[in-house]
Amino acid sequence: MRTANTHKNMARCAATATLACVLGLGLVAPAYADTASDLAAARTKLEQIGTQTQQIHEELSAQTQELDQTAGEITQKQQEIAEGQAKLSSYVAGEYKTGGLSLLQVLTGVDDLGDMLNRLFYYGKVSDKQAQTIQEVKDLKQQLTDKQTEQEKNVAATQKKVDELNAQQAEAQSVVNSLDSQLQAELAAEAEVNAALQAGINASTAEKATVSNDTAGTTENTNNGGGTTNNGGGNTPAPAPAPAPTPQPVTPAPTPTPSAPSQSVDGGTVVSRAYSKLGYAYSWGGIGPNSFDCSGFVSYCLTGRYCRLGTTGTFMGWTRVSDPQPGDVVVNSYHTGIYIGNGQMIHASDYKTGVIISSVAAGMNNNYIFVRY
């Protein structure tokens, strides 16, 4: 009997032990399944975000190229308008000197250049050549207005795309943060052979993209006077408000000359500044200190100040060099950077990569020149 009971007790113990193992495995299995499920869901979501952010980066790259090109065109129009206004101011001054026109009668009460042009034109007090210059200035002003309107739309479209990118990056960060360190490590290992997953993980740590309010060279120059805008500003000829025996001539307003920088800088210093900003973020319109667009970055490197010397259109007018040295500027109609020698440059590339080193050929594509500040 004892032997039989002993065998029964042993059987019960074995069964209990087996059940405990089964139950134990049962407790572990759901946890393992949840972990695997979490990892799979995170992987899928990050791959999706990675693919989407790569597409957004490509679209932003094209948009910012267009923004920079339009900014250059706006600067060019402003310079052409200034030249036309200076020419007309010289004409008015000459007529005052010779007394060829009854300008006091024609121009009494003139408030701005546009009013002056209209009065001269409609009073028939101009030659055909002068009338052509007046019309050219008017056409240029309309072209400038159209370009500025286009640029405002481009900026709005870019801001919308940047907001979309930031939303994707925030979601990627949320996904990664929901995983423990072990799962994050597993994802990182998988990402070594999975480009979309790597892009998603990169998005989770990316700095927030911005479109800076500092969009110098575009619409902010619309109403600042100086002969580059629609309001006449400081270039409006100012006839005497009351008749006088000898009217004073109108002094022609000086034409801006961004193509002739006033100082030279040490190339080594320029290159050092460029290196100091490697890895910083890109933002269209940015002039630093924490993010830059391409011309804002070049301006900082040349001056050491967080300012804007001009746009790519401005730099294109600087003195060209055939033997570029480190510290020179490489530029085309839509992009610019600092040459560092050996066919390489440092530039604020785009939202995806920020300030980087690349070959000039890869960074500029084509039609680039070297200029010296």
Side-chain angles (χ1 to χ4, degrees):
M1 289 294 293
R2 284 184 181 178
T3 303
N5 289 335
T6 300
H7 285 299
K8 288 180 180 179
N9 289 335
M10 291 175 65
R12 287 195 191 98
C13 289
T16 302
T18 301
L19 180 60
C21 290
V22 171
L23 289 174
L25 288 175
L27 291 173
V28 173
Y32 179 80
D34 287 345
T35 299
S37 176
D38 289 346
L39 187 63
R43 181 191 305 112
T44 300
K45 189 60 181 177
L46 287 171
E47 286 175 344
Q48 180 184 8
I49 292 172
T51 300
Q52 291 172 341
T53 54
Q54 285 178 319
Q55 181 179 352
I56 293 172
H57 281 307
E58 291 172 2
E59 292 171 356
L60 275 173
S61 179
Q63 284 181 342
T64 50
Q65 264 191 23
E66 186 174 351
L67 285 169
D68 284 337
Q69 185 166 350
T70 305
E73 292 170 357
I74 286 172
T75 299
Q76 181 62 35
K77 294 299 179 189
Q78 290 170 333
Q79 292 172 1
E80 291 174 4
I81 289 171
E83 291 167 2
Q85 289 175 335
K87 186 187 298 184
L88 290 171
S89 296
S90 297
Y91 158 64
V92 173
E95 294 296 340
Y96 266 121
K97 290 177 181 177
T98 61
L101 296 175
S102 301
L103 288 175
L104 283 179
Q105 285 75 26
V106 174
L107 298 179
T108 298
V110 167
D111 293 324
D112 60 29
L113 181 64
D115 191 13
M116 181 196 78
L117 298 182
N118 285 332
R119 292 194 185 200
L120 285 173
F121 190 79
Y122 289 112
Y123 274 80
K125 299 296 185 181
V126 292
S127 66
D128 291 341
K129 183 177 181 180
Q130 292 156 347
Q132 181 181 354
T133 302
I134 291 172
Q135 190 59 50
E136 288 173 354
V137 170
K138 288 184 175 181
D139 291 344
L140 284 169
K141 286 189 172 185
Q142 184 58 55
Q143 292 167 19
L144 174 62
T145 299
D146 293 343
K147 281 294 177 185
Q148 289 171 330
T149 300
E150 176 186 343
Q151 193 73 326
E152 288 174 359
K153 292 179 180 178
N154 290 344
V155 170
T158 301
Q159 181 64 67
K160 183 177 180 180
K161 193 60 64 176
V162 163
D163 291 342
E164 185 179 341
L165 176 63
N166 287 330
Q168 292 286 346
Q169 291 177 175
E171 186 172 5
Q173 187 174 26
S174 176
V175 170
V176 171
N177 289 345
S178 70
L179 305 174
D180 62 30
S181 58
Q182 181 179 347
L183 293 184
Q184 289 182 16
E186 289 184 37
L187 279 179
E190 292 181 25
E192 292 181 3
V193 292
N194 186 332
L197 177 58
Q198 185 63 65
I201 293 174
N202 291 345
S204 71
T205 59
E207 186 174 342
K208 184 177 180 181
T210 61
V211 176
S212 172
N213 290 328
D214 181 9
T215 53
T218 58
T219 54
E220 73 171 19
N221 288 339
T222 305
N223 296 311
N224 65 353
T228 61
T229 67
N230 290 339
N231 67 355
N235 282 344
T236 303
T246 307
Q248 295 299 311
V250 178
T251 303
T255 302
T257 55
S259 60
S262 59
Q263 60 181 1
S264 60
V265 294
D266 175 67
T269 301
V270 173
V271 171
S272 294
R273 290 173 185 149
Y275 270 103
S276 74
K277 294 299 181 181
L278 280 175
Y280 277 61
Y282 178 98
S283 68
W284 191 81
I287 59 172
N290 298 317
S291 63
F292 302 86
D293 66 10
C294 63
S295 57
F297 173 72
V298 167
S299 297
Y300 165 73
C301 294
L302 294 176
T303 66
R305 301 189 306 275
Y306 299 117
C307 65
R308 186 179 301 280
L309 292 173
T311 65
T312 54
T314 308
F315 304 158
M316 289 282 285
W318 289 359
T319 303
R320 299 190 184 191
V321 292
S322 57
D323 58 337
Q325 301 298 313
D328 285 340
V329 177
V330 56
V331 61
N332 61 19
S333 61
Y334 60 83
H335 195 55
T336 186
I338 296 295
Y339 185 62
I340 60 174
N342 299 319
Q344 292 188 309
M345 69 174 184
I346 299 178
H347 57 125
S349 177
D350 55 32
Y351 284 97
K352 183 177 182 180
T353 55
V355 178
I356 60 170
I357 297 177
S358 72
S359 69
V360 172
M364 302 299 295
N365 294 326
N366 53 38
N367 298 327
Y368 57 86
I369 61 172
F370 293 93
V371 298
R372 188 161 295 162
Y373 178 61

